[in-house]
Amino acid sequence: MKRLVAARMDRCIGCHSCSLACARLVHKILSWEHAGIRISSSGGLTTGFQAEVCLACDPPPCAAACPTGSLKARPGGGVVRNKSLCIQCGQCVPACPVGAIAQDRAGDIYVCIHCGQCVPFCPHDCLELVEVGS
Ligand code: SF4
Ligand code: SF4
């Protein structure tokens, strides 16, 4: 089982390529806010950037908060998602301890599924897909 890790954020220039890759390839839209990984300033213009992304908690508190089973624990940490079960209640959003789950105005949920498709799009090798126990 693989897990996405934002391993070298000191190299990040805030280009949002990872977020756009996730939005385009996973969520089929074009918006860096509608992605499983989102980049924000870590405090100010001179302090660099941080990634808002799933830490692959095991067990995942977002899955425990989901009343419908739309989010389920994934072997090795994090969640698998059954979008068709989501009632857009938003209870998973505050349940995430690192703010990795986003919800848009329509109620749709964006959480990393650790597929790794964003990794080759980072021009500075900030991201890594690592093997974790299953
Ligand atoms: S918004 Fe969807 S995924 Fe999140 S807790 Fe509610 S039903 Fe589950
Ligand atoms: S690993 Fe996949 S789901 Fe996670 S942020 Fe990258 S492209 Fe999105």
Side-chain angles (χ1 to χ4, degrees):
M1 188 62 70
K2 307 257 189 205
R3 177 193 155 193
L4 179 72
V5 180
R8 290 171 290 278
M9 288 306 289
D10 54 311
R11 300 184 188 181
C12 178
I13 58 165
C15 69
H16 298 273
S17 288
C18 54
S19 306
L20 288 168
C22 181
R24 289 298 294 151
L25 300 174
V26 179
H27 301 287
K28 313 296 182 198
I29 53 176
L30 181 58
S31 162
W32 61 50
E33 292 173 0
H34 299 125
I37 183 169
R38 297 168 306 281
I39 302 300
S40 60
S41 163
S42 54
L45 286 175
T46 59
T47 52
F49 297 92
Q50 61 193 12
E52 294 165 7
V53 69
C54 173
L55 295 185
C57 305
D58 190 7
C62 55
C66 177
T68 65
S70 176
L71 299 180
K72 285 211 162 121
R74 191 184 75 125
V79 289
V80 288
R81 182 171 186 232
N82 184 338
K83 193 175 176 182
S84 67
L85 293 178
C86 182
I87 56 171
Q88 303 180 328
C89 67
Q91 292 188 52
C92 50
V93 177
C96 175
V98 294
I101 303 179
Q103 185 170 33
D104 68 16
R105 280 188 222 164
D108 283 338
I109 292 299
Y110 301 89
V111 61
C112 178
I113 55 170
H114 300 276
C115 67
Q117 292 188 79
C118 52
V119 173
F121 286 90
C122 175
H124 295 281
D125 197 27
C126 299
L127 307 175
E128 211 171 300
L129 200 62
V130 300
E131 191 70 46
V132 291
S134 56

